[in-house]
Amino acid sequence: MESGAPVVYVEPRKMNQNKRTVIDILRDNPGFVSGEAISQTLGVSRNAVHKHVNSLRKRGYGIVGVSRRGYRLEDEPCRLSMSTIAARTEQSVFGRAFRYHDEIESTNVEAKRLAGAGAPEGTVVVAESQTAGRGRLGRRWTSPAGKGLLFSALLRPPLGMADAHLLTLVAAVAACDAIESLVPVSVRIKWPNDLFIDDRKVGGILLEAAGEQDAIDWVVVGMGLNVNTEYSELPVALRRTAVSLKVATGHPVDRTDLLARLLLALEEAYLDAARNGFDDALAQFRERDYLLKRCISVQTRRGPVVGEAAGVDEKGALLVQLPHRHIQRFHSGDVTLR
Ligand code: BTN
C-alpha cells in the first residue's frame, strides 16, 4: 500500500550510483573504447557489453561501433528534468508523486499497477521511452526515446463509471491549452482522444478506468505527444498522417516546460470538472472539434455508419447527422474522414 507518503522521483544519472556501467565508461572516455576494455572493467563478457550497447542505442544514445577500435559515445538523449517539473508542480495534486523511468513497457500499465496497489491520486508515471506503448482500440503508440512526452496520471474522481470517458475530453482540452501556451500552433481534438494540428495527429490520450458502476475506483489518463520527433523518425506508415510539434513549427520544444504546463493544465481542468461538472470542458471541446460538419465514417460492430459530424452531446457522445434528419449517438468507435 503506497497511499500517503510522497514517492521520490529518481533522476536517471543518480541510479546505480556505486555501480559503473557501459555508459559511464563511454562518458569518461571521449574517444573509442574497445569492447575488451569495457568487458574487463565491468567484469562481464564481450557479448554482454554488445547487448548493453544495443539497448542503449534503442534508448536514444548515439553510440558508434567500429571494428578493432571499439565504441564511442557521440550523442545522448535529451532528458526531462524531473526536478524542474517537481518544483513547478509542488503545490499541486499532480506534483505529489512522480515515477520517472528511462524505459518502461507502458506508463499506463505501470500507473494501473500502482493504482491497484493503492497509490494516491496525483501519482504521475513518466517515461523517456516505452517498449509496448498502448493506443486506443488495441493500437500501439511508438515514440523515439527522449523525443516525445509519454506519461500517465492516476486519478480517483468522485464520479460514476458513465462519466469516466468525459475525462478524456477534459484531458484533451487541457492538453490543447498547455501546448498552445508554449508553441505557436492551433490544436484541435478529433473525437474522442486525438490531438490534431492541421490534418495530422500530434498526440493521443488513452483513458483506462476501474470501479463500480456508481463509483470509480481509479482512472489512468495516459498521454502521448510527438514533440521533438523528426519527420524521418515518424513511423513510415504514419508520415502522411502524423506530425510532431518540431515538424509543425520548425523549432525544437522544451519538453520539461511542456510537461509542467500539461500537468498544471490537466489538474486545473480535472478539479474544475470534478467540482462543477463537465459543461466548461464540453464548451471548450466544441470550439476545438476537428470533425464538426465533416463527412465521417464511424466503424461499428455492424459495419460503418456514414454521416455528417454534428458535435457532442452533454455526455460527450459523438452526434452524427444521418440522412432524413435522423441523428445517431456514438459512445465509442473509430472515426475516419470520408
Ligand atoms: C491513441 O492515440 O490511441 C492514444 C495514445 C496514448 C499513448 C500514451 S503514451 C503514454 C501512455 N502510455 C501508454 O501506453 N499509452 C499512453
Side-chain angles (χ1 to χ4, degrees):
M1 192 79 168
E2 307 202 12
S3 60
V7 178
V8 177
Y9 64 86
V10 183
E11 292 270 21
R13 286 182 196 191
K14 292 184 187 146
M15 292 190 293
N16 293 324
Q17 257 171 340
N18 302 320
K19 198 168 160 247
R20 275 165 67 76
T21 65
V22 173
I23 198 66
D24 297 318
I25 295 173
L26 293 178
R27 275 192 196 122
D28 292 348
N29 296 277
F32 279 94
V33 190
S34 72
E36 184 60 33
I38 300 174
S39 81
Q40 279 182 10
T41 309
L42 299 178
V44 298
S45 70
R46 291 279 301 273
N47 195 30
V49 171
H50 180 71
K51 278 192 182 155
H52 194 78
V53 165
N54 278 341
S55 99
L56 287 166
R57 284 178 176 144
K58 278 196 200 131
R59 281 154 48 194
Y61 290 87
I63 299 174
V64 177
V66 175
S67 66
R68 286 198 284 276
R69 296 187 72 189
Y71 301 105
R72 190 177 69 200
L73 179 63
E74 297 214 320
D75 190 21
E76 294 202 45
C78 216
R79 287 224 161 70
L80 290 162
S81 167
M82 293 309 294
S83 52
T84 306
I85 294 168
R88 289 202 27 205
T89 58
E90 183 170 51
Q91 308 295 329
S92 319
V93 179
F94 289 7
R96 271 185 198 158
F98 284 111
R99 297 293 188 115
Y100 175 87
H101 297 263
D102 206 19
E103 183 180 81
I104 197 171
E105 175 192 347
S106 148
T107 57
N108 262 41
V109 169
E110 178 62 2
K112 290 195 297 179
R113 188 189 68 73
L114 292 168
E121 171 161 87
T123 299
V124 177
V125 182
V126 183
E128 298 288 1
S129 68
Q130 296 180 129
T131 54
R134 292 147 52 96
R136 220 174 127 251
L137 305 170
R139 296 185 181 126
R140 279 293 175 98
W141 183 267
T142 58
S143 176
K147 297 291 181 86
L149 284 178
L150 310 164
F151 68 95
S152 302
L154 168 60
L155 310 176
R156 296 193 182 275
L159 301 169
M161 273 297 200
D163 285 336
H165 72 106
L166 276 161
L167 292 170
T168 302
L169 304 188
V170 171
V173 165
C176 293
D177 288 344
I179 295 168
E180 289 179 5
S181 73
L182 183 65
V183 188
V185 286
S186 171
V187 190
R188 291 201 287 160
I189 305 164
K190 175 171 171 278
W191 184 91
N193 70 317
D194 289 340
L195 304 176
F196 266 57
I197 295 177
D198 295 325
D199 289 316
R200 286 162 196 244
K201 177 164 168 170
V202 70
I205 293 161
L206 177 64
L207 186 131
E208 300 183 76
E212 304 292 322
Q213 203 48 39
D214 56 349
I216 292 175
D217 182 8
W218 53 257
V219 169
V220 166
V221 180
M223 197 178 292
L225 269 185
N226 299 328
V227 183
N228 290 326
T229 318
E230 306 290 346
Y231 177 77
S232 60
E233 292 170 320
L234 294 167
V236 176
L238 301 181
R239 284 190 191 158
R240 289 172 58 183
T241 53
V243 74
S244 71
L245 294 173
K246 184 177 179 192
V247 170
T249 60
H251 298 288
V253 173
D254 181 339
R255 290 185 311 134
T256 295
D257 191 0
L258 183 55
L259 181 53
R261 287 170 192 247
L262 281 163
L263 293 173
L264 291 170
L266 196 56
E267 171 168 339
E268 192 183 328
Y270 164 62
L271 292 180
D272 181 65
R275 281 185 201 126
N276 307 317
F278 292 94
D279 288 357
D280 267 12
L282 284 165
Q284 289 180 55
F285 172 86
R286 290 182 181 114
E287 283 174 22
R288 295 187 180 274
D289 187 349
Y290 172 77
L291 296 175
L292 189 67
K293 294 200 159 80
R294 296 194 189 210
C295 184
I296 60 169
S297 171
V298 186
Q299 299 304 321
T300 71
R301 267 185 240 129
R302 276 180 265 136
V305 176
V306 176
E308 186 184 280
V312 291
D313 71 7
E314 71 292 348
K315 288 283 174 201
L318 177 69
L319 303 174
V320 180
Q321 173 83 61
L322 303 176
H324 314 300
R325 297 192 178 180
H326 177 65
I327 293 233
Q328 192 164 338
R329 281 179 164 66
F330 294 89
H331 295 278
S332 65
D334 195 20
V335 181
T336 47
L337 290 181
R338 296 278 296 182

